[in-house]
Amino acid sequence: MMSYAAGLGTGLSLIVAIGAQNAFVLKQGLIRHHVFWVCLFCALSDAALILLGVNGIARIGSAAPWLLAGLKWAGAAFLIWYGARSFRAAWQGGGALRPEGGAVSLPRTLAVIAALTWLNPHVWLDTVVLVGAISAQWPRPGVFGLGAVTGSFLFFFALGYGARLLAPVFARPRAWQVLEVLIGMVMWIIALTLIVD
C-alpha cells in the first residue's frame, strides 16, 4: 500500500507541472473539444512509458546496481533544476491562460497531442527515467508504477474535465505563480527524499 501511495503521489507531483502537454489538455477542456480522447491518449501514453521505466529500471538494477545509484543522483539533480525553474517562473510572473482557436478534427487533435507527448524529452525523463529510478527504491516497484499510472489517469481526466471550473482562476496571472511555487516545493521535496535515502 505504501508503494502504491508513493507512486500515486510521485506521479501526480511530476505530471502537475504545466508544460506544453498539460497546457494543451487544459485548453481542450476549456474549449470543450475532444476532451475524452485527448485525456485518454495522454493517460495511456503515460502508462506505457511508466511501465517501460519501472520494468526496464528493475532489470538494469539487478544487472548493474551502480547504475541505479547514478540514476538516483541524476534524478535528484533534475528535480532540483526543475523546482528551481518553477520558482523562477513564479518570480517572473505567470501568464494568464488565453484559449484561442476553434474546433479541430479529432485526427488532427490527436496528432498534436501525440507530438507534444512522445516528442517531449521531459515526458520521457519524468516517466521512464525518473519514475523508473524512484520505483527501484521501493520494495514493490510494480505497485509503485501502478500508483503512478493511476495518478496519470486521475490527473489528465481531472484536468480535461475540470478545466471549465478552473477557467476563471487561471485567467489571473497570480494563480499561475502560486501553482509554480507549489510545483517547485514538491520537486525539491522529492529530490530531498532521493538524496537522504
Side-chain angles (χ1 to χ4, degrees):
M1 190 63 171
M2 287 295 291
S3 294
Y4 180 83
L8 178 64
T10 301
L12 285 171
S13 63
L14 288 173
I15 202 169
V16 77
I18 294 296
Q21 183 191 42
N22 292 350
F24 186 80
V25 174
L26 187 60
K27 178 181 171 184
Q28 291 304 115
L30 288 168
I31 63 176
R32 301 177 189 182
H33 290 289
H34 311 301
V35 178
F36 174 80
W37 296 110
V38 168
C39 294
L40 184 63
F41 182 89
C42 290
L44 289 174
S45 295
D46 261 19
L49 291 167
I50 288 167
L51 294 175
L52 176 67
V54 169
N55 292 322
I57 293 296
R59 288 193 189 114
I60 291 168
S62 60
W66 57 269
L67 188 57
L68 283 182
L71 286 174
K72 178 172 113 168
W73 287 102
F78 174 77
L79 288 169
I80 290 167
W81 171 80
Y82 205 88
R85 191 179 78 121
S86 291
F87 287 127
R88 182 175 173 225
W91 178 261
Q92 291 176 338
L97 180 67
R98 307 228 192 287
E100 66 255 337
V104 177
S105 70
L106 179 59
R108 187 168 171 201
T109 301
L110 291 178
V112 170
I113 196 61
L116 291 173
T117 301
W118 291 91
L119 299 178
N120 184 345
H122 286 122
V123 172
W124 286 84
L125 281 171
D126 288 352
T127 55
V128 177
V129 176
L130 205 52
V131 172
I134 296 171
S135 74
Q137 310 298 315
W138 288 88
R140 300 174 67 193
V143 175
F144 181 95
L146 182 61
V149 168
T150 303
S152 288
F153 273 86
L154 288 174
F155 175 78
F156 282 119
F157 279 94
L159 180 63
Y161 286 102
R164 65 188 75 168
L165 301 173
L166 297 174
V169 174
F170 283 99
R172 296 188 303 262
R174 178 68 65 195
W176 290 103
Q177 288 178 294
V178 170
L179 181 63
E180 291 290 359
V181 167
L182 292 174
I183 290 166
M185 289 171 60
V186 168
M187 294 298 115
W188 281 10
I189 288 168
I190 295 171
L192 184 62
T193 62
L194 282 176
I195 292 167
V196 171
D197 189 22

